[in-house]
Amino acid sequence: SSGINAEYGGMDLVGVAKKNDIGFLTLLEALRYCKVGDFLKCPEYPIWIVGSESHLSLLFSPERSLCASDDSLFKRARAAFDTFDCEGNGFIPVTDLPKVLE
């Protein structure tokens, strides 16, 4: 998410080095085919290109606060969630939800 480089199948994969003006989200990340970093998930403006298996869509909002630069609350919430998402699949047991919300 912050300019990370990796090698995969003989190809050099390079992450995005800074926050973009518009973002990118994809269903393929939920299916674990790729990883979208924070710089693309949290763009400068509330505009995202959303990719699925077969097409692209545009998602936008007039609410600029969606992209507020003070993301410390988001990072704390994500860290709390990740503590209980041991498999990294984006799901936690409902019984763990009260612990995440503490």
Side-chain angles (χ1 to χ4, degrees), residues 19 21 41-48 63-70:
K19 193 174 194 177
D21 287 343
K41 289 180 182 175
C42 303
E44 188 69 33
Y45 302 102
I47 304 168
W48 294 268
E63 187 60 50
R64 289 280 316 261
S65 66
L66 291 172
C67 300
S69 60
D70 179 23

Side-chain angles (χ1 to χ4, degrees), residues 14-90:
V14 180
V16 176
K18 65 183 180 95
K19 193 174 194 177
N20 281 11
D21 287 343
I22 64 170
F24 179 73
L25 304 170
T26 179
L27 171 67
L28 299 177
E29 182 175 28
L31 299 173
R32 296 185 181 198
Y33 287 113
C34 67
K35 174 81 172 122
V36 177
D38 291 338
F39 290 145
L40 290 173
K41 289 180 182 175
C42 303
E44 188 69 33
Y45 302 102
I47 304 168
W48 294 268
I49 296 171
V50 182
S52 74
E53 303 99 324
S54 61
H55 66 280
L56 299 172
S57 299
L58 184 67
L59 177 68
F60 64 93
S61 172
E63 187 60 50
R64 289 280 316 261
S65 66
L66 291 172
C67 300
S69 60
D70 179 23
D71 59 350
S72 59
L73 180 60
F74 174 78
K75 285 183 179 180
R76 287 194 347 243
R78 172 50 76 185
F81 184 90
D82 288 348
T83 300
F84 295 95
D85 181 19
C86 300
E87 296 179 19
N89 59 13

Side-chain angles (χ1 to χ4, degrees), residues 80-81 83-84 92-102:
F81 184 90
T83 300
F84 295 95
I92 61 170
V94 70
T95 54
D96 288 339
L97 187 56
K99 298 173 197 165
V100 171
L101 297 175
E102 289 179 353

